Amino acid sequence: MQELDSYVAVGDSFTEGLDDPAPHGGYLGWADRLAAMISSRQRGFRYANLAIRGRLLQAIVEEQVPVAVALKPSLVTFCAGGNDLLMPGADPDAVAEVYEIAVAELRATGAEVVIFTGFDPRHAPVLRSLRGKVAIYNSHLWSVAERYNCKVVDLWSMTVLHDIRAWGPDRLHLAPEGHQRVALRVAELLGHEQEEQWRTPWPVVAEDDWMTQRRQDLKWAREHVVPFITRHLRGASLGDGVVPKRPELLPISSGENN
């Protein structure tokens, strides 16, 4: 098991924790869950989460990466670029170039850096059209990980996340169980395995008929995907006015995630 005394999470809504409501308001998410897992076994452990929903990669690099570098943690998780790829005309090669600059800065501190591939959108209506761009971006991330000796959480290969139950109503953010699966996967990668397993199959349930699924897909695209793209084309974001939920390295108090 790797000894970690401090952890900083960097990213967007995925890392902030949408749609995983915290018991006392705000959001929990896989990063908070992971930090609690590590803290339960590591005395003196401290955790910060700088992630803000809706952030594009360049903003994350400019706003969050310098803070993470200054905090000098032993572990950084860095997941970003997904919002960029959702934008019309996005170039995964160009996005990856910016991503690599950030990884180089984070690794230069001596921190262990864990990065994440994009999800496989094959099972998501509308988003499946982005599958080629995500695959190209992922290939760059694997190369970056090799060059800078980073651990990689391969979200693309996590087939348990292909189930609709892993996702919140907007299908853009994980539901609580989806966040838990990701936290368990990262913990395993770091050698902090838990009794609960991220690979555990979902219970078998009856599926809706084809017509019902198509109606739901159209409703979802109209209510969630179109507004997301429209906001960003206007230069607006869900994260406007939002500040990091945990900007400093602090111990995790008992019962904080309960």
Side-chain angles (χ1 to χ4, degrees), residues 16-230:
E16 184 185 349
L18 278 65
D19 282 322
D20 184 10
H24 305 294
Y27 293 99
L28 197 58
W30 67 265
D32 286 17
R33 292 170 179 267
L34 172 67
M37 293 174 188
I38 299 174
S39 179
S40 68
R41 302 184 181 186
Q42 182 71 45
R43 295 185 62 182
F45 179 78
R46 297 173 300 146
Y47 165 57
N49 190 320
L50 309 177
I52 295 178
R53 68 197 76 171
R55 284 295 193 268
L56 297 175
L57 177 58
Q58 188 62 49
I60 292 171
V61 172
E62 293 175 356
E63 299 168 4
Q64 299 178 31
V65 170
V67 177
V69 168
L71 290 173
K72 299 181 180 179
S74 56
L75 170 67
V76 176
T77 58
F78 179 40
C79 184
N83 289 330
D84 298 74
L85 297 183
L86 285 172
M87 299 299 294
D91 180 356
D93 300 324
V95 177
E97 289 179 4
V98 178
Y99 191 97
E100 181 168 359
I101 292 171
V103 169
E105 292 181 8
L106 293 169
R107 282 292 288 146
T109 67
E112 176 80 70
V113 176
V114 176
I115 68 175
F116 298 72
T117 70
F119 296 99
D120 183 355
R122 177 177 57 181
H123 299 279
V126 181
L127 296 182
R128 67 171 61 97
S129 64
L130 300 174
R131 199 169 187 236
K133 285 187 177 182
V134 178
I136 292 171
Y137 188 56
N138 285 351
S139 68
H140 283 300
L141 298 189
W142 280 105
S143 296
V144 169
E146 183 175 0
R147 284 194 289 274
Y148 295 93
N149 193 26
C150 301
K151 287 183 167 62
V152 181
V153 178
D154 188 8
L155 297 174
W156 182 281
S157 70
M158 288 184 65
T159 55
V160 294
L161 300 180
H162 295 169
D163 193 291
I164 191 66
R165 288 169 287 184
W167 297 87
D170 65 6
R171 305 188 195 178
L172 296 171
H173 302 105
L174 293 172
E177 179 62 22
H179 279 285
Q180 179 68 3
R181 302 284 184 130
V182 172
L184 291 168
R185 178 68 186 94
V186 184
E188 178 185 87
L189 186 69
L190 294 172
H192 289 257
E193 294 189 51
Q194 311 293 305
E195 291 185 10
E196 185 180 356
Q197 296 296 309
W198 65 267
R199 297 180 180 84
T200 302
W202 295 87
V204 177
V205 295
E207 294 185 357
D208 293 327
D209 61 77
W210 183 89
M211 185 59 71
T212 299
Q213 290 179 7
R214 297 293 79 76
R215 290 196 189 99
Q216 292 173 345
D217 292 345
L218 289 171
K219 183 175 183 290
W220 163 75
R222 183 172 61 252
E223 295 181 356
H224 298 288
V225 177
V226 173
F228 173 88
I229 294 175
T230 301

